[in-house]
Amino acid sequence: MSDDSAKTWVEAEWADGLDEELEMEIDDNLIAKDLAFISDKKHKSTLDRNVYFHELLRLQSELVKLQDWVQHTNEKVVVVFEGRDAAGKGGVIKRITQRLNPRVCRVVALPAPSEREKSQWYFQRYVPHLPAGGEIVLFDRSWYNRSGVERVMGFASDDQVEQFFNDVPEFERMLVRSGIRLIKYWFSITDEEQQLRFLMRIHDPLKQWKLSPMDLQSRVRWEDYTKAKEDIFERTNIPEAPWFIVEGNDKKRARLNCISHFLSMIPYHEIAHEPITLPDRVFNPDYERKVLPDHLYVPEKY
């Protein structure tokens, strides 16, 4: 392969990587006509698009270095993502994991507990998902369900909530003492912005799956969730595992700010690797490739 053709191929691969990110962004910009009234009111990022993509790719390259460091040092990292519904937790998690090895960095998003799990020690269902050495675990919602949705929706009694608040500081201290780096983020969003994002989900068929009955109730019980948040900060903001608030009204800034802060919390450094040399393919002159039947192939419609 000539230098020019190699350069062209690399540029094409780079463009494909940008296209992948663009696909994730495009639903924020292609607004159906019947959603125009929402689009006009919705918060628009003041961050230049080129700056956003440049910084996102730079931060993602740092995340790859962090991943290498975690593997090399056998570190254990847990990141908890909590906050208002539609505040942007999922978008940040996608950008963190987008270019990482899913065997190293995995997302845990547990469903509602089963009857058996309801009878267990509350933290028991979360413990199996904690990282081993060389792993990063991102909790998309976590044990704070007990002091959030379960409390507000009446799924947990006052005694259970109080027991949680008594137990969780020591539970998290135990995690930290065991060698886990525990980082907790709370995503904040204004009442009006959440309403607009929910309207987007209601009217957009590609986003309706994001809406659950619990999400809709979070609008009705906005002030109850505010009270729950205040109690969470007051009773679980411990020195060993403090809370960090991410302002989520501007999605792009929230993503960059959160990833940048996450990187600043870990004392990682670039790990030197032995140069990788692609070995030559072994050619066997006596091997003849079999012709496979057409029905095995996916039809080429595009």
Side-chain angles (χ1 to χ4, degrees):
M1 183 181 293
S2 68
D3 290 344
D4 288 343
S5 60
K7 181 180 178 181
T8 301
W9 182 83
V10 169
E11 288 174 344
E13 287 292 301
W14 178 256
D16 284 345
L18 291 178
D19 287 345
E20 181 181 352
E21 176 60 31
L22 188 59
E23 287 174 14
M24 297 174 71
E25 287 293 310
I26 202 165
D27 64 347
D28 289 338
N29 298 283
L30 293 183
I31 310 295
K33 290 182 179 179
D34 57 344
L35 299 182
F37 74 100
I38 301 174
S39 180
D40 291 341
K41 296 180 180 180
K42 193 168 177 291
H43 179 93
K44 294 180 175 62
S45 178
T46 57
L47 187 64
D48 180 79
R49 191 173 187 80
N50 289 332
V51 172
Y52 167 71
F53 279 120
H54 181 274
E55 284 301 298
L56 180 63
L57 290 170
R58 183 185 66 80
L59 292 171
Q60 288 179 330
S61 70
E62 291 298 315
L63 286 170
V64 173
K65 295 177 187 177
L66 169 63
Q67 172 184 255
D68 286 348
W69 178 83
V70 168
Q71 285 187 284
H72 181 77
T73 58
N74 222 32
E75 288 278 344
K76 296 173 286 186
V77 179
V78 168
V79 188
V80 167
F81 293 87
E82 292 286 348
R84 296 283 189 183
D85 291 316
K89 298 181 297 296
V92 172
I93 292 171
K94 284 180 182 178
R95 272 67 184 186
I96 291 175
T97 59
Q98 188 177 1
R99 305 185 192 282
L100 298 185
N101 184 345
R103 294 183 179 86
V104 177
C105 180
R106 69 178 187 273
V107 179
V108 175
L110 298 183
S114 65
E115 289 302 315
R116 180 176 183 275
E117 288 172 328
K118 289 178 183 178
S119 70
Q120 295 174 342
W121 174 52
Y122 177 69
F123 297 97
Q124 189 170 337
R125 68 192 298 248
Y126 296 98
V127 171
H129 300 281
L130 294 172
E135 294 178 350
I136 303 169
V137 174
L138 312 179
F139 279 94
D140 185 356
R141 298 284 187 200
S142 66
W143 43 89
Y144 284 97
N145 278 337
R146 170 61 42 101
S147 55
V149 63
E150 290 186 17
R151 175 188 184 180
V152 172
M153 297 301 299
F155 300 147
S157 67
D158 291 343
D159 288 343
Q160 288 175 317
V161 173
E162 184 62 25
Q163 186 68 53
F164 170 81
F165 277 130
N166 290 333
D167 291 347
V168 71
E170 187 55 31
F171 173 68
E172 293 180 351
R173 290 188 186 105
M174 289 172 61
L175 297 184
V176 173
R177 287 198 299 268
S178 76
I180 290 175
R181 294 180 182 272
L182 175 59
I183 303 170
K184 302 186 300 192
Y185 289 113
W186 185 277
F187 281 72
S188 181
I189 190 176
T190 62
D191 186 352
E192 181 182 27
E193 183 68 15
Q194 186 191 59
Q195 180 183 18
L196 293 173
R197 291 184 187 179
F198 277 176
L199 287 172
M200 285 286 296
R201 293 180 180 184
I202 289 172
H203 291 280
D204 187 345
L206 298 179
K207 293 184 176 181
Q208 283 180 1
W209 65 270
K210 292 184 176 183
L211 276 175
S212 70
M214 296 300 102
D215 294 331
L216 297 176
Q217 280 298 311
S218 71
R219 290 298 303 154
V220 178
R221 303 170 190 248
W222 174 273
E223 293 183 1
D224 292 336
Y225 275 102
T226 299
K227 177 63 167 60
K229 176 193 71 174
E230 292 169 349
D231 287 346
I232 288 171
F233 286 170
E234 180 181 350
R235 302 190 64 177
T236 68
N237 187 42
I238 59 176
E240 297 87 349
W243 282 102
F244 298 100
I245 299 173
V246 180
E247 294 289 351
N249 272 15
D250 188 323
K251 290 182 180 181
K252 292 181 174 61
R253 292 186 188 276
R255 293 165 191 164
L256 299 183
N257 288 333
C258 185
I259 296 173
S260 176
H261 183 270
F262 171 46
L263 290 167
S264 74
M265 296 294 292
I266 311 291
Y268 74 98
H269 55 81
E270 190 166 1
I271 301 299
H273 293 283
E274 292 293 328
I276 300 175
T277 302
L278 187 65
D280 293 331
R281 176 187 164 184
V282 175
F283 288 90
N284 183 351
D286 297 325
Y287 170 73
E288 185 174 336
R289 181 177 177 180
K290 293 182 179 179
V291 177
L292 298 175
D294 291 341
H295 72 268
L296 294 180
Y297 291 90
V298 172
E300 295 187 2
K301 292 186 176 181
Y302 302 97

